[in-house]
């Protein structure tokens, strides 16, 4: 496993260029990959020179948002825990995220790291981590 902090736009784009990954992470559906230049922190995880996971801390309107993505074949193998640990070690304030209600693996991961549900709608939960 290789971890790259502050990856380039093209490195991040490589992860989401495959059919398996292109439609499953909503964050880049409404943003260009150049938005990573404004992130507080970005991490990319590789397995055997193949990008498999991504995480970021993104400031927006006074809130720090966390986002994580793992390629489908690499989920439930501990990579999410690694990415969360790295992101939280770089956090300087409270963090929020949204997660699909149907994504129970991610909900459990966030819960295990101390995130709590603060709001919900029909499709997703908003969760928050209090920085101490």
């Amino acid at each position: 496993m290789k971890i790259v902090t502050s990856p380039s736009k093209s490195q991040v784009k490589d992860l989401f260029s495959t059919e398996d990954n292109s439609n499953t992470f909503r964050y880049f559906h409404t943003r260009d990959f150049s938005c990573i230049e404004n992130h507080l922190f970005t991490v990319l995880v590789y397995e055997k020179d193949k990008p498999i996971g991504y995480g970021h801390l993104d400031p927006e309107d006074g809130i720090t948002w966390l986002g994580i993505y793992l390629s489908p074949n690499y989920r439930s193998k501990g990579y999410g825990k690694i990415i969360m640990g790295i992101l939280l070690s770089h956090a300087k304030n409270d963090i929020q995220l949204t997660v699909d209600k149907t994504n129970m693996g991610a909900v459990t991961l966030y819960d295990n790291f101390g995130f709590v549900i603060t709001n919900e709608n029909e499709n997703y939960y908003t969760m928050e981590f209090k920085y101490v």
Side-chain angles (χ1 to χ4, degrees):
M1 177 177 61
K2 178 173 84 170
I3 296 171
V4 175
T5 58
S6 302
S8 70
K9 176 177 131 179
S10 65
Q11 286 174 304
V12 173
K13 199 173 186 178
D14 283 347
L15 173 62
F16 297 100
S17 65
T18 67
E19 188 173 322
D20 286 346
N21 299 335
S22 64
N23 292 315
T24 55
F25 188 60
R26 286 189 311 265
Y27 184 78
F28 290 115
H29 288 188
T30 58
R31 295 167 183 85
D32 183 75
F33 287 98
S34 63
C35 72
I36 68 168
E37 297 165 7
N38 297 321
H39 288 170
L40 299 171
F41 186 78
T42 308
V43 62
L44 199 57
V45 176
Y46 288 81
E47 190 61 53
K48 298 180 182 173
D49 295 325
K50 176 182 177 183
I52 61 158
Y54 164 87
H56 71 255
L57 297 173
D58 182 18
E60 185 177 298
D61 299 328
I63 298 170
T64 299
W65 292 93
L66 180 144
I68 288 182
Y69 177 79
L70 282 170
S71 295
N73 292 337
Y74 295 90
R75 294 176 185 163
S76 299
K77 297 180 190 284
Y79 293 103
K81 290 178 186 176
I82 292 168
I83 293 171
M84 281 295 295
I86 293 168
L87 292 175
L88 292 180
S89 73
H90 287 83
K92 306 261 188 265
N93 51 17
D94 296 351
I95 300 169
Q96 291 187 29
L97 59 84
T98 59
V99 59
D100 291 344
K101 286 182 169 182
T102 57
N103 190 349
M104 291 311 299
V107 172
T108 300
L109 173 71
Y110 301 140
D111 181 62
N112 288 340
F113 273 89
F115 282 78
V116 295
I117 296 171
T118 57
N119 201 357
E120 67 180 282
N121 70 17
E122 181 180 321
N123 299 313
Y124 64 86
Y125 297 116
T126 300
M127 299 181 80
E128 185 172 1
F129 175 84
K130 292 288 188 183
Y131 179 77
V132 287

